[in-house]
Amino acid sequence: MREIAATWMRGGTSKCWVFRRDDLQVPDLSVDEVLLRIYGSPDHRQVDGVGGGTSTTSKAVILAPSSAVGVDVEYTFAQVGIEEAKVDWGSNCGNCSAVVASFAIREGWVPTDEPETAVRVLNTNTSQLIVQRVPTPGGVLDETASETIPGVPFPGAPVRMGFVDPAGRSTGRLFPTGRTQDVLSDAVGGVTVTLVDAGAPVVAVNASDFGVRGNEDIAELDLVPGLLARLDAVRREAGVLMGLAESSDAVAGAVPKLALVSTPSSQGVEGDDLTVRMLSMGRFHPAVPVTGSVALTLAADASGTVVHDLVPAVRPTTGLRLGTPAGCVGTFVEERDGVPVVGVVRTYRRLAHGSVVLPDPPLLPSASA
Amino acid sequence: MREIAATWMRGGTSKCWVFRRDDLQVPDLSVDEVLLRIYGSPDHRQVDGVGGGTSTTSKAVILAPSSAVGVDVEYTFAQVGIEEAKVDWGSNCGNCSAVVASFAIREGWVPTDEPETAVRVLNTNTSQLIVQRVPTPGGVLDETASETIPGVPFPGAPVRMGFVDPAGRSTGRLFPTGRTQDVLSDAVGGVTVTLVDAGAPVVAVNASDFGVRGNEDIAELDLVPGLLARLDAVRREAGVLMGLAESSDAVAGAVPKLALVSTPSSQGVEGDDLTVRMLSMGRFHPAVPVTGSVALTLAADASGTVVHDLVPAVRPTTGLRLGTPAGCVGTFVEERDGVPVVGVVRTYRRLAHGSVVLPDPPLLPSASA
């Protein structure tokens, strides 16, 4: 039995355990083995661990101070498998990203400014720099619960996160195929898609191509016969086209994400710009992955994309107002030091801290169970 | 913001946060308010708290050493509401009970014996004394993961829990109506039930009266049209008959529990004695509540009950082997100091410990969310 220092935090609409990178180094065990056992995987309930049995509650944030130029903190995201004894390191989680600045300031890794502090966070999964601004009046981190975001009923402390020059971090290009739209094979319905890589690789498809409106509750979408399977087949073929895997079978569950997009019923000054239902880890997301919202924002600005044709030509803000199952999530676009920065405001909260307990090996379930 | 010392433990098939009673005393706030906010309730996902969004993961164990004669530890169980801002104090959770002996020994509240220690735990919700035996070779608590129970894929440390003289703790009588079976009103189908109070108040009904076999997967039972609503109506009328509430509407979600019982397809030396699917908090339990298994054990031994007619007249053990969705759970019956003790063996594990964070008031969700 071994205790590992850990903090449990909500970041946006996710819950993640936060670890210092060095603390996960355990003799004779890989980090994957350590995380899986701590989380209680494989087990659909994760009843013997700290995982929550859902994709948004089986996440780890692993942090270390950085000595790289222009970087304060190195941040690695792990999606810990639930029923499968597998850790997915292939993508970032934008919601979990929201906890990094606060944790780093509390650890004393980053000196504070006044009245806010910008923490330069490098996500190592995607080589993405995220500049996070948190209020630090008088040089002291202020975690007053002053903002509310869709999908979280309680207010939380705000963090303004900007993804710096996010295009092509996973594949090298904003549009990995060199085209703003592609037509997939007849095997997956010959559907037209936009493949875009910003924040995370995303496949955007028009809801009408799948016989749904696109603004349904996710519980309703879950019940549409064959829909999840069809969308996953599209996602897998798209993943291969984007160069993320050699074959459909080898495409990860978390990457690319898939966005089912449609025109909002009331578009305009008061309405959303785009309605979205996004697939992550095989299920519809209760709100929207932050990384996915970055991708859709850049896709909306490029003519020829599936997204561009659905959003208003003239919009009141530089970003995109996304109609999600939980409510409207707005992104922003700005330019800093000559490069585009796409971002969102999230909230976060520390839920618990102390240590998690790693049992002695063997670390896999007994065969009889 | 305030930090409250807490330990997260698995007890049997539940996960519960364990608190010292004094630590939950917060000026100007009730314990209910404190628990609800820590757990992130009301919210179906409990995303801003330490609750897990399911009945088996939204539980609290509150402990204090006891000065009462024959009692080492006082244990109060709280079922923390998820979508409802309400804490239910009306019942015990037998699975969570499994964490008490270990916690108390670690706190130094109970001197250890050799080679095992019996900790006398008083559950204050039900005035039930539970004697818990854990291995303490050489006087040191041994938490080696040596046993496996149905519903938990990983082995854990064992605790042998005996419910001392469990009959009538909530209502005063083993059979609260004075009868071993009752016929309910036509409004709920005129069904024959056994109302039994041991460990917890339980309503036993024959699966065949509801048009199901009784050994279905719980996911399959969830989909039987109207079944959950019919069973809940039965449960509520039964709750009133047992004297637990004035009216059906006032019957709590957690009490009484309802057991859908049937004869196992292969009864006998190798098979189970009874197949059970138990309702708790409006949903079918993934295994079986420990308290419910105590009630069924005593009901099986009394002729005339719905249970008695389904189990073998001669059984190889003193207890009952229950066929649950997760596998076979065995109970034992023994006599100690002239009173019956009904029990089960459970496993437990410490998952995390340190403190949980209570935000500053206001503690309810913002109205706009």
Side-chain angles (χ1 to χ4, degrees):
Chain A
M1 202 181 311
R2 185 186 180 101
E3 306 205 349
I4 295 175
T7 301
W8 203 12
M9 299 182 77
R10 174 182 65 77
T13 53
S14 288
K15 293 203 263 194
C16 25
W17 284 90
V18 187
F19 303 95
R20 290 184 295 249
R21 189 162 64 199
D22 289 350
D23 292 340
L24 286 175
Q25 300 303 316
V26 177
D28 302 325
L29 293 179
S30 69
V31 174
D32 290 41
E33 287 173 313
V34 171
L35 288 174
L36 287 165
R37 186 61 192 93
I38 290 171
Y39 280 65
S41 303
D43 171 22
H44 70 113
R45 296 179 62 218
Q46 295 181 317
V47 68
D48 201 53
V50 300
T54 69
S55 76
T56 52
T57 57
S58 188
K59 300 180 169 213
V61 165
I62 303 167
L63 302 181
S66 178
S67 55
V69 174
V71 177
D72 298 310
V73 187
E74 289 175 25
Y75 151 50
T76 303
F77 170 71
Q79 179 75 48
V80 181
I82 298 173
E83 298 188 62
E84 204 180 355
K86 183 167 181 283
V87 179
D88 192 335
W89 300 94
S91 61
N92 180 23
C93 169
N95 276 299
C96 288
S97 305
V99 309
V100 179
S102 158
F103 188 93
I105 290 171
R106 282 180 170 272
E107 290 288 312
W109 294 345
V110 187
T112 53
D113 291 328
E114 216 279 319
E116 68 168 19
T117 298
V119 180
R120 297 163 302 174
V121 176
L122 180 67
N123 173 253
T124 65
N125 308 89
T126 56
S127 303
Q128 173 69 58
L129 185 68
I130 308 169
V131 175
Q132 307 193 344
R133 294 171 189 278
V134 291
T136 47
V140 179
L141 181 65
D142 180 2
E143 296 191 299
T144 301
S146 59
E147 301 244 354
T148 301
I149 60 171
V152 181
F154 294 91
V159 52
R160 184 178 169 89
M161 300 197 294
F163 286 64
V164 179
D165 199 13
R169 293 286 159 185
S170 295
T171 66
R173 292 202 281 188
L174 177 61
F175 298 108
T177 60
R179 292 177 295 271
T180 51
Q181 55 176 257
D182 287 89
V183 178
L184 298 191
S185 75
D186 288 344
V188 298
V191 67
T192 299
V193 301
T194 287
L195 309 178
V196 55
D197 172 17
V202 168
V203 192
V205 299
N206 196 318
S208 64
D209 287 343
F210 292 83
V212 294
R213 296 189 309 278
N215 63 352
E216 290 89 347
D217 286 343
I218 60 176
E220 191 179 337
L221 289 175
D222 278 341
L223 294 177
V224 175
L227 179 64
L228 280 172
R230 281 179 66 201
L231 292 174
D232 195 56
V234 164
R235 196 185 67 78
R236 288 181 179 279
E237 183 170 318
V240 177
L241 270 180
M242 296 171 98
L244 297 168
E246 296 277 315
S247 69
S248 290
D249 288 349
V251 170
V255 192
K257 300 183 192 302
L258 182 140
L260 192 70
V261 294
S262 58
T263 300
S265 50
S266 66
Q267 222 174 25
V269 175
E270 293 297 317
D272 303 320
D273 298 319
L274 184 74
T275 297
V276 62
R277 298 292 181 266
M278 202 170 288
L279 269 187
S280 178
M281 298 298 286
R283 301 301 300 266
F284 284 103
H285 196 283
V288 67
V290 168
T291 52
S293 70
V294 170
L296 292 175
T297 301
L298 291 188
D301 285 339
S303 63
T305 67
V306 168
V307 178
H308 185 265
D309 297 345
L310 297 173
V311 301
V314 178
R315 304 194 299 273
T317 67
T318 59
L320 203 60
R321 291 166 308 170
L322 294 161
T324 81
C328 180
V329 173
T331 64
F332 62 83
V333 181
E334 58 194 26
E335 198 177 288
R336 285 190 180 244
D337 305 328
V339 297
V341 175
V342 185
V344 293
V345 174
R346 301 272 82 188
T347 67
Y348 70 91
R349 185 168 91 80
R350 278 194 317 149
L351 305 175
H353 71 109
S355 54
V356 295
V357 183
L358 174 69
D360 294 326
L363 301 183
L364 284 177
S366 40
S368 64
Chain B
M1 201 182 309
R2 185 186 180 103
E3 306 206 346
I4 295 175
T7 302
W8 202 14
M9 299 183 77
R10 174 182 65 76
T13 53
S14 288
K15 293 204 263 194
C16 24
W17 284 90
V18 187
F19 303 94
R20 290 183 295 249
R21 190 163 61 198
D22 290 350
D23 292 340
L24 286 175
Q25 300 303 317
V26 176
D28 301 325
L29 294 179
S30 69
V31 174
D32 289 42
E33 287 173 313
V34 170
L35 288 174
L36 288 165
R37 186 60 193 95
I38 289 171
Y39 279 65
S41 303
D43 171 24
H44 70 113
R45 297 178 61 218
Q46 295 181 316
V47 68
D48 200 53
V50 302
T54 69
S55 76
T56 52
T57 57
S58 189
K59 300 182 167 210
V61 166
I62 302 167
L63 302 181
S66 179
S67 55
V69 174
V71 177
D72 298 309
V73 187
E74 291 174 25
Y75 151 50
T76 304
F77 170 70
Q79 180 76 47
V80 181
I82 299 173
E83 298 188 61
E84 205 180 355
K86 182 167 182 284
V87 179
D88 192 335
W89 301 93
S91 61
N92 180 22
C93 169
N95 276 299
C96 288
S97 305
V99 309
V100 180
S102 157
F103 188 93
I105 291 171
R106 283 182 169 269
E107 291 287 314
W109 295 345
V110 187
T112 54
D113 291 328
E114 214 281 318
E116 66 169 20
T117 299
V119 180
R120 297 164 302 174
V121 176
L122 179 68
N123 173 253
T124 65
N125 309 88
T126 56
S127 304
Q128 173 68 58
L129 185 67
I130 307 169
V131 175
Q132 307 193 343
R133 294 172 189 278
V134 291
T136 48
V140 177
L141 180 65
D142 180 2
E143 296 192 299
T144 302
S146 60
E147 301 245 356
T148 300
I149 59 171
V152 182
F154 294 92
V159 52
R160 184 177 168 88
M161 299 196 295
F163 287 63
V164 179
D165 199 12
R169 292 286 159 186
S170 296
T171 66
R173 292 202 281 190
L174 177 60
F175 298 107
T177 60
R179 293 177 293 272
T180 53
Q181 54 175 258
D182 287 271
V183 178
L184 298 191
S185 75
D186 289 344
V188 299
V191 68
T192 299
V193 302
T194 286
L195 310 178
V196 55
D197 172 17
V202 168
V203 191
V205 299
N206 196 319
S208 64
D209 286 343
F210 292 84
V212 295
R213 297 189 309 279
N215 63 353
E216 290 89 346
D217 286 342
I218 60 176
E220 193 179 336
L221 288 177
D222 278 341
L223 294 178
V224 175
L227 179 63
L228 280 172
R230 281 180 66 201
L231 293 173
D232 195 56
V234 165
R235 197 185 68 77
R236 289 181 178 278
E237 182 169 319
V240 176
L241 271 179
M242 297 170 97
L244 297 168
E246 296 278 314
S247 68
S248 291
D249 288 349
V251 170
V255 192
K257 299 182 193 301
L258 182 141
L260 192 70
V261 294
S262 57
T263 300
S265 50
S266 66
Q267 222 173 27
V269 176
E270 293 298 318
D272 303 319
D273 298 319
L274 185 74
T275 297
V276 62
R277 299 292 181 267
M278 201 170 288
L279 268 187
S280 177
M281 298 298 287
R283 302 301 300 266
F284 284 103
H285 196 283
V288 67
V290 167
T291 53
S293 71
V294 170
L296 292 174
T297 300
L298 291 188
D301 284 340
S303 64
T305 67
V306 168
V307 178
H308 185 265
D309 297 345
L310 297 173
V311 302
V314 178
R315 305 195 298 273
T317 67
T318 59
L320 203 58
R321 292 166 307 170
L322 294 162
T324 82
C328 180
V329 173
T331 64
F332 62 83
V333 181
E334 57 194 24
E335 198 177 288
R336 284 187 180 249
D337 306 327
V339 297
V341 175
V342 185
V344 294
V345 174
R346 301 271 82 188
T347 67
Y348 70 90
R349 185 168 92 79
R350 279 195 316 149
L351 306 175
H353 71 109
S355 54
V356 295
V357 183
L358 174 69
D360 295 325
L363 301 181
L364 285 176
S366 39
S368 64

